[in-house]
Amino acid sequence: MAAPARLTPLLVVAAAIGLAAAALWVPARSPIPPAAQPPEAAAERAERELPSLGLPWGKVRGWERVNGGWTVTWQPAHGMWLVRVWVPDGPGEMSWRIDAASWLPGVRLSRRAARALTEGDEGVGQARERLGRRDWLLGDARLVGALPAGGELPTDPRRRPSPAGAVLAGLLLAGAAARHLVPGVPSRRWRQAVSWSAVALVPLLPQLSAVAPAFRAGVRPWVGELAFGGAAILLLGALVFGAQRFAAVVGRPLAGWLAVGLAAGVVAGRLQPAPWLLGVAALPLRLPALMALAVLLGWLMGLAGDGLRELARPVGRARPAVFAALGVAAVAFAGPWLGVALAVVAAAAVERGSGTGMAVAGVWGWVFGSVWALAEWEPALRDALALLLVGVGTLAAAGLAPRTAGASSPAIEES
Amino acid sequence: MNRFHYVLGVVVAAAAAVGAVALIRGRGVTGEAEAAAVARAAMERLGYAPLGEPDATFEGDQELAWALERASAGPAGAALARGEGGAVRWRLVFPAGGEAQVTVDGVVWSLRRPVPAEPGPDLFPSLAKARVEAAIAQTVPDPSRWRLVRAQSWREGAHTWERAWFVGGAGPLPPGWRRELELEMVGSSVVSWRRFVHPLGTDLGVVTGRMAELRLLRRPALLGLAIVVIGVLIAGAEAVAYRESTAVVRGLVYGAVVATAGSFAADTLASAPVQAVVLAAVVALLPAWTDLPPTRLSWGPAAGVGLAAATLAGHAAILGAGGWVPVTSPVPAGTGWERQLADAWLPALVEEPLLRGALPAFAAPLLGWWGAALLAAPIGALLHPEPAVPLLASIGLEVVLQLGLAVVARFAGVGGAVLARGTCEALVQRASFPVGWTWDRVALLGVALGTVLLLWPRRRD
């Protein structure tokens, strides 16, 4: 029995090295084109090349990655209007749109005047009467009062409601119930890690509002930021509360398995990157934001993994096969949810005390892999590399730390 | 000691009843009977005598009313909203034909009479413009300030119809506002007119902008409640697993009440069945949350009267300090005693068990009961604030109300907080509904319940 026991770590290390090699050297084609420039460069180009559109744009408030370009949002402090411009990475044509508050002081233009302003053809125009102004839709052109307001912006066809969110919510609920009903020794380290990650995100919230849909016409930007900040603080508070009440149990995951999780996450990120992570990677303080998000998301996936493990308990000895099948299904069908799906399955597949560590390792690698696959500007890549090095360093520290007896509670060992 | 408590109860009940009557006295939308008379007189001036008593419906343009108040500070703004601004008005439909809108201060805002069988001779084209211009005198009290901007005529049936648009400048409205009027004639008889107000964009913008901001700020509060609901789901699973003591029947009854109230109310946090299921679960779980203070229903309504007085005083304080809060009460989407009852009591039935029951039950082990109550206050404050300048004044006032409810919940439990909130909302919202004893009775329902509970003789131990 001694030989297989010694062989297992070696196999795990070999698998980790193999996956890491695959993640680093095997060419992976992401379904999303990478971003050649950060949103700041896109905003500069828009401000330089587009006319002012007859009104001050205000500050850059946010950005979003859409179809090989950045959709950048400007809003003045009074919040009366919102200017959004889609800037392609290459030399292509920019699209722009102005959304104005319904009460914006304006005029009631005749159809002929509206056509003259938009230089439109003789097509049928539609007028929309509002309190204090009349808007015109003339083909692709829009007029808000007397203000040319552009046309439609490109949208991401990949963004559609997915049942994966509902499945994940169900697994999270199951995980919370499982952690509460199945006794175990709570891990102080995970409690602290989640709490400190949530606390670390709080000062970053003003920056993070740039990647959230926090701004809208007619609402002053500080109110939008306040609404986003309030919602985020509530969510972070709920996570901290959840980390205390539904604590991950104590365990000492094998560093080799964590390395496998990290490498698998990197592969998942390269195959199916998450575009919203690219928006976070464009923030000035991207490294702490990415680290904190990886820990919090990873902890949540560990919770969902606990739920999946308990739900799969009735299948008994067939559980490894079930988890393997779920992993294959995730690769085939999960799309942009691949990283989190693999993290959940990995967390469920290992013993209970190792699940959260495995999930965090997977999400950590997925975050790095997504940024690596999508960002082509140097500061983001440099910080992504720093993120990976922090992850590898943590793994090394976990691997080199002496394994003390009794670190894992007997109650949490798998039967 | 028992005798002292009973005497104290009698005194509190009497004070609450007097206070509640004082708070609702003279509040409410006036002018229903006068509006019918004004509309009848206006139609008679056009040569048509409407038959029967009209059906009266209260309606209004909320944003317009508050924009007028914001543009003309103090009572002048509220008077404009009730009069020349045309923001709050009665719609009167006569059973034998004829319809009019009359503002609550008696300005005829629009009118349509049946087409007369003999409308008089058609206007000769060269004279039509002058006759139409002269007809404005039949519709507004200051015809000299109105000018004709556009007119059209067409032939329909046996008669020629004329339609004209007039502009009346700002008149008594704030500078930059514009009045318009559309008038229709058949033959040589005026058959209808309708007035419009075009506000200055910035005046309207302050109000609608604040309302949009408050709608956005409501989302984090809803998220907070959603998190609490998730906690309720998990607590329910735990209660089933550990076979904890629950009040299932009480929960089901409460859920049915919430569903009924939700089906009548104008504004709900979620759909009525969803609210009912969640609240049924919360109420069923209340016995399992032993950290919560015990319920003393009898003190809740009296506390609610105090909170209503504080809320109304807060409005006056903000206005007195140079800020702005709406004077004209929110215009209800419909009137009816069931709507009044549901609008007042649904927030209490839905939000109090969540904010003063479930949230403290979950958060108290980490934050303590008062810490949890402080957490609930901003969540509750963002659910229903009214626009204000500065915006934080309105939110601050709501926070004070929420803290008051937390104090009530500490000493009277979740049930006491529900009664306090319902009583408070009923008294504050009384001004949104017409004057009259019918509406007063609904507003005083909570106080009456509190009086009965306070005066009910207790068994001797």
Side-chain angles (χ1 to χ4, degrees), chain A residues 164 167-172 174-175 261 297-312 323 326-327 330 337-351 354-356 358-363 366:
Chain A
V167 173
L168 189 59
L171 289 177
L172 285 170
L297 260 178
W299 181 85
L300 277 173
M301 295 313 114
L303 185 66
D306 280 358
L308 180 60
R309 186 187 306 108
E310 294 305 320
L311 289 174
F323 290 141
L326 286 175
W337 293 80
L338 177 61
V340 292
L342 283 183
V344 171
V345 174
V350 297
E351 67 168 2
S354 307
T356 305
M358 197 68 183
V360 171
V363 171
W366 175 63

Side-chain angles (χ1 to χ4, degrees), chain A residues 5 56 110 137 139 145 172 187 297-298 314-315 403:
Chain A
S110 66
L137 296 171
L172 285 170
S187 165
L297 260 178
V315 300
R403 293 179 73 83

Side-chain angles (χ1 to χ4, degrees), chain B residues 69-439:
Chain B
E69 287 180 22
R70 171 63 188 153
S72 302
L80 280 177
R82 297 164 58 92
E84 280 293 318
V88 281
R89 51 195 182 252
W90 292 98
R91 175 183 292 275
L92 303 136
V93 180
F94 288 92
E99 183 175 339
Q101 285 177 302
V102 180
T103 67
V104 293
D105 277 356
V107 175
V108 181
W109 198 250
S110 74
L111 183 146
R112 176 172 291 279
R113 57 155 292 183
V115 176
E118 295 293 334
D122 294 342
L123 300 180
F124 196 66
S126 63
L127 297 176
K129 187 180 174 191
R131 291 290 301 273
V132 168
E133 272 187 310
I136 187 75
Q138 293 177 272
T139 63
V140 290
D142 53 347
S144 60
R145 304 180 75 166
W146 295 76
R147 64 185 171 81
L148 180 69
V149 290
R150 195 152 56 96
Q152 63 177 169
S153 65
W154 71 96
R155 189 80 184 166
E156 190 175 304
H159 304 289
T160 301
W161 288 66
E162 311 282 344
R163 183 178 292 154
W165 286 268
F166 296 85
V167 172
L173 301 179
W177 289 53
R178 199 171 77 235
R179 298 181 296 170
E180 288 183 9
L181 186 143
E182 183 185 306
L183 180 140
E184 273 186 5
M185 297 176 72
V186 181
S188 49
S189 301
V190 174
V191 290
S192 78
W193 76 81
R194 180 179 175 81
R195 288 175 63 169
F196 303 90
V197 164
H198 292 293
L200 186 66
T202 45
D203 289 338
L204 187 68
V206 170
V207 171
T208 52
R210 294 295 191 276
M211 291 168 81
E213 288 171 356
L214 289 171
R215 274 196 296 275
L216 187 65
L217 284 172
R218 196 185 191 196
R219 293 185 178 185
L222 291 175
L223 176 68
L225 288 186
I227 291 170
V228 172
V229 169
I230 291 170
V232 169
L233 282 176
I234 296 169
E238 185 185 326
V240 171
Y242 290 139
R243 294 187 173 83
E244 289 174 343
S245 164
T246 51
V248 176
V249 175
R250 201 189 307 164
L252 288 175
V253 171
Y254 196 88
V257 172
V258 169
T260 309
S263 64
F264 286 109
D267 181 28
T268 55
L269 298 181
S271 66
V274 172
Q275 289 187 157
V277 170
V278 169
L279 268 298
V282 170
V283 172
L285 287 170
L286 279 176
W289 294 329
T290 50
D291 289 341
L292 298 180
T295 286
R296 294 178 193 152
L297 290 177
S298 53
W299 298 96
V305 175
L307 290 172
T311 304
L312 296 174
H315 282 172
I318 293 171
L319 287 170
W324 174 79
V325 282
V327 177
T328 304
S329 296
V331 178
T335 51
W337 66 268
E338 64 279 1
R339 169 62 62 88
Q340 186 190 8
L341 193 63
D343 281 355
W345 283 88
L346 190 67
L349 292 169
V350 172
E351 292 163 26
E352 293 311 305
L354 289 170
L355 294 175
R356 251 60 68 176
L359 181 54
F362 297 142
L366 283 182
L367 305 173
W369 195 92
W370 284 108
L374 287 177
L375 180 65
I379 293 176
L382 289 177
L383 287 172
H384 306 285
E386 289 181 347
V389 178
L391 185 66
L392 293 179
S394 167
I395 296 173
L397 192 57
E398 285 286 329
V399 167
V400 170
L401 173 68
Q402 293 288 323
L403 290 176
L405 285 165
V407 173
V408 173
R410 184 66 194 169
F411 295 103
V414 177
V418 170
L419 286 185
R421 175 80 180 272
T423 306
C424 171
E425 294 282 352
L427 295 175
V428 171
Q429 292 181 20
R430 172 66 189 89
S432 297
F433 294 87
V435 292
W437 173 235
T438 312
W439 311 94

